[in-house]
Amino acid sequence: MLDTFETLREIIVRKFEKKAEDITLESALESLEIDSLDTFDIIFEAEEKFGIVVSNDEVAIKTVQDVVSLIDRLRAEQGK
Amino acid sequence: MPARRVVVTGAGILSPVGNDRETFFSTLMAGQSGIRRLESAFVDALDTRIAAWIPDFDPLAHMSRSKAGAMDRVTQFAVVASQQAIADAGLDLEMMDRERVGVYLGTGMGGSSSIEEGYVRLYRDNASRLKPFTVLMAMNNAAGSQVALEFGLTGPDLTFCTACSSSAVAIGEAARQIRHGYADVMLAGGSEALLTYGTIKAWEALRTLANEDADNPSASCKPFSADRSGLVLGEGAAMVVLEDMESALARGARIYAEIIGYGSSNDSSHITQPSVEGQARAMRRALADAGITADQLDYINAHGTGTKLNDVTETAAIKQVCGSAIPVSSTKSMHGHLMGAAGAVEFVACLMALEKQALPPTAHLVQPDPECDLDYIPNIGRENVRVNTVMSNSFAFGGTCGVLIARKP
């Protein structure tokens, strides 16, 4: 089974040319220079990778931990 | 405020015949064509497998992966051509009032790769959703807006979408912004990246694309030649830096040319068929705007698409307005038809003609057409000629004509 944080970190590293060690669960997306539009892009990839659907009212997130929690909850709810 | 004089101080270009202005022009002067077989996965499904494409463009050599990933190819071209133009002009934007710097950009099909990629996902792959950047990459104003963002320009920013004359119109209108005091510096030009399966198929359906030359695919575009069979689609971008002449002189800028005339018109006769009157009208307006007579022109860069109809129509229009003595060439014979970027690319050819005192040829003109009887500089460029004033013609589907006249400083 895909590790949520590792997968998310890989997406962020690839898309935004960040160093993996700079990305922790506590990292604020803003501090990684990831804006709300970029977040939609990350969620789009996560949806594909994890086979989940994220609705519009669930995308208010601030940290990497928020994204991981959201994905984990939806994976559990949606059986992915 | 009295009308100000407008000069060109920088040029950037990405084209099928070179990705800097020197290579671009020396390739044209050598009569070498950038038209080649496409290598895309869909090539076997095409009737015409040739295009004027850029084989060696790597966006990551010019920008970060995240930036490149948020831009369609058409926008990447526009940003890189703008970087070149700004560097060429020696503009220090950090030190300038960027509220007085704007960008006018022409494009025909905008972010066609992005829209097509989206449709492929939806209709072929049955995906239920599209990439979040699809709208922002596909919208026609993306290229101009990303140029403004990239360089922090807060002056006027407009996108011109008049098919094949888009970037000629963008340059002419940008010059007016400076002339009438709405801006001091304008980045102006055009970009096009339409070599996608869907777009090429749509052009095929119009029956205007050239047949592939069986012996030499690179010679497939033959403007003004009796054996011409149509245009060859191309991709690329050209951007120029326009400045108020006094400010350019004050900062000691190298001046390529002064833009002295611009004329535009609509044929208002047919959505595709050109009209002698419409083209002549735009040329006359440009000459009147410049305050010169046609006999003062030393060179005309023709629209010269290589279609049966354009080339006889344009020849008749040039003869009506300018007579038969002025050398005319179609550089599309080598760089193809860059659609929304065509006018800007050909304007750069004109700037280089002024700088090098040389006239690029019309390549592949081997069978004279009795209806095309001007001096088209056939096949061999002319060096060491006196080139003081040049005119660049751009005409379009939809009927919008844009004509620019530039003079050596």
Side-chain angles (χ1 to χ4, degrees), chain A residues 14-15 17 44 47-48, chain B residues 64-66 121 129-130:
Chain A
R14 175 168 41 78
K15 271 198 176 299
E17 293 168 291
F44 172 79
E47 287 180 307
E48 303 249 300
Chain B
S64 70
R65 184 177 300 278
S66 56
R121 284 180 60 87
R129 55 188 62 210
L130 295 183

Side-chain angles (χ1 to χ4, degrees), chain B residues 120-143:
Chain B
V120 165
R121 284 180 60 87
L122 274 184
Y123 298 131
R124 188 192 70 189
D125 302 340
N126 293 316
S128 60
R129 55 188 62 210
L130 295 183
K131 290 184 180 176
F133 279 88
T134 303
V135 170
L136 311 175
M137 290 165 74
M139 62 190 193
N140 260 15
N141 60 324

Side-chain angles (χ1 to χ4, degrees), chain A residues 3-9 24-25 50 61 63-75:
Chain A
D3 180 90
T4 306
F5 172 66
E6 283 306 323
T7 305
L8 188 63
R9 181 151 76 171
T24 66
L25 285 169
F50 297 109
I61 37 194
T63 65
V64 172
Q65 176 67 64
D66 292 342
V67 189
V68 170
S69 303
L70 173 68
I71 293 170
D72 280 342
R73 179 168 61 75
L74 293 172
R75 288 176 82 179

Side-chain angles (χ1 to χ4, degrees), chain B residues 91-99 101 185 243 251:
Chain B
L91 278 185
D92 185 357
L93 289 169
E94 295 292 328
M95 300 300 291
M96 294 172 66
D97 177 6
R98 281 176 281 182
E99 297 209 358
V101 185
V185 177
E243 289 185 66
R251 74 177 182 93

Side-chain angles (χ1 to χ4, degrees), chain B residues 161-279:
Chain B
C161 192
T162 63
C164 319
S165 58
S166 301
S167 53
V169 168
I171 291 170
E173 297 293 334
R176 285 183 177 171
Q177 289 292 307
I178 296 172
R179 188 191 279 188
H180 300 300
Y182 298 108
D184 296 331
V185 177
M186 293 292 292
L187 266 169
S191 188
E192 198 71 76
L194 47 52
L195 298 175
T196 68
Y197 181 47
T199 305
I200 296 174
K201 283 310 246 187
W203 277 93
E204 270 184 3
L206 266 173
R207 298 182 183 275
T208 55
L209 298 185
N211 300 324
E212 181 173 329
D213 184 295
D215 299 325
N216 178 8
S218 76
S220 300
C221 184
K222 308 168 191 294
F224 306 111
S225 193
D227 58 347
R228 68 187 181 277
S229 62
L231 62 90
V232 174
L233 292 172
E235 65 171 3
M239 296 294 287
V240 292
V241 173
L242 308 184
E243 289 185 66
D244 156 51
M245 187 169 78
E246 279 188 25
S247 334
L249 288 171
R251 74 177 182 93
R254 183 260 337 267
I255 293 174
Y256 281 104
E258 178 179 0
I259 296 186
I260 58 172
Y262 162 57
S264 81
S265 67
N266 192 286
D267 292 346
S268 192
S269 57
H270 191 277
I271 194 74
T272 59
Q273 290 172 15
S275 104
V276 174
E277 267 316 307
Q279 297 183 353

